[in-house]
Amino acid sequence: MAEYDTLRTGTVGARAAQIDQGLRAYMNKVYGLMSVAMVITGAAAWAIAGLAVTGDAASGVVQIGAGEYLTSFGAALYTSPLKWVVMFLPLVFVFGLSAMINRLSPAAAQLAFYAYAVAMGVSLSSIFLVFTGASIATTFLVTAIAFLGLSLYGYTTKRDLGPIGTFLIMGVIGLLVASLVNMFFNIDGLSSVISFLGVLIFAGLTAYDTQQIKGQYLAFAHQGDAGGEAWIGRSAVMGALNLYLDFINMFMFLLQFLGNRD
């Protein structure tokens, strides 16, 4: 009997160690995918902004500041009806990816995620026309530090963040509605309120989503390997997408407070 108990304890311990190792590898994959997507978005935004703005008055078509002009490409991107496509394409893209994720192979899901990161980069390129490069870099650093702390909290806390998450998701819907209203009616002071609430909401979602990602893997691991590598690949992409969105939104809302305008 003692030998059986020892064997059973050893088996359980080995299984727990295996799950812990798998969780670490899974979370590394999630953060790795997110990091690559962030690099793609930043590179795309910087490259598009470089093509859209020129200091040469002869080749510029619209003056946007002292010694700065939009090129014909920039004018088409930011002042023509194409701006609405650029603005809303990432939103359409993310809904499409979320709806189709279970029908995609892990490789296709990863490729779609990176394509979405490019679309987001094009959409965010306009920040280089509004804010100084130094303030963008500073805000990015502040966001990265906050994100790491919040995600670490979500990963390590024993507190169930589920009830908070439900409230925060409702807050995101409210932010979207308020942003659309402000876009068309430009209500005084509403932008500041939206930015303040946006920082709080996406800070909370960073911790919540991290806990959810961890919990989903643990539930999968304790159920066995049904679905195996395909589930892990697709789930890692969705986890990376959620954290990516938390980071991008927190960065954009913080930029409204910390960014210095050109």
Side-chain angles (χ1 to χ4, degrees):
M1 183 65 179
E3 291 179 357
Y4 171 77
D5 289 339
T6 300
L7 179 60
R8 183 173 182 274
T9 301
T11 301
V12 171
R15 177 60 176 164
Q18 183 182 20
I19 291 175
D20 286 343
Q21 182 179 2
L23 175 62
R24 287 193 296 271
Y26 176 73
M27 294 303 295
N28 286 338
K29 183 176 181 65
V30 169
Y31 288 123
L33 289 169
M34 176 199 164
S35 298
V36 172
M38 291 298 302
V39 171
I40 291 173
T41 295
W46 180 80
I48 292 297
L51 294 173
V53 180
T54 181
D56 182 10
S59 60
V61 296
V62 178
Q63 186 170 7
I64 58 174
E68 286 190 329
Y69 304 85
L70 288 180
T71 63
S72 56
F73 171 74
L77 199 63
Y78 303 128
T79 65
S80 76
L82 182 60
K83 67 181 181 181
W84 299 108
V85 177
V86 173
M87 186 181 302
F88 289 108
L89 180 60
L91 186 62
V92 174
F93 215 126
V94 76
F95 281 127
L97 178 57
S98 299
M100 296 177 59
I101 187 68
N102 290 326
R103 296 196 292 272
L104 298 175
S105 67
Q110 185 172 321
L111 182 61
F113 178 39
Y114 290 156
Y116 167 71
V118 173
M120 182 63 83
V122 176
S123 181
L124 295 182
S125 62
S126 60
I127 66 174
F128 288 96
L129 280 63
V130 179
F131 300 97
T132 64
S135 67
I136 291 173
T138 300
T139 305
F140 182 88
L141 180 61
V142 171
T143 305
I145 294 171
F147 177 88
L148 289 172
L150 291 162
S151 190
L152 179 62
Y153 171 76
Y155 185 83
T156 58
T157 185
K158 301 300 182 182
R159 179 182 179 184
D160 180 13
L161 301 179
I164 298 175
T166 301
F167 175 77
L168 293 173
I169 291 170
M170 292 174 61
V172 171
I173 297 173
L175 279 179
L176 180 60
V177 173
S179 297
L180 289 174
V181 169
N182 198 46
M183 183 186 301
F184 292 103
F185 297 101
N186 195 24
I187 301 172
D188 289 340
L190 184 56
S191 293
S192 296
V193 173
I194 291 172
S195 296
F196 176 73
L197 293 176
V199 171
L200 295 180
I201 288 172
F202 284 100
L205 279 173
T206 298
Y208 168 76
D209 285 334
T210 302
Q211 186 180 77
Q212 290 294 108
I213 293 167
K214 176 184 177 182
Q216 288 169 1
Y217 177 83
L218 291 176
F220 163 79
H222 283 99
Q223 289 173 358
D225 294 329
E229 293 300 321
W231 181 91
I232 290 176
R234 289 192 293 264
S235 181
V237 169
M238 288 307 299
L241 174 62
N242 288 334
L243 293 180
Y244 170 93
L245 288 172
D246 293 337
F247 188 104
I248 289 291
N249 281 285
M250 188 159 53
F251 166 74
M252 290 300 296
F253 285 123
L254 274 174
L255 191 60
Q256 302 303 315
F257 292 115
L258 303 180
N260 293 322
R261 297 177 182 270
D262 280 332

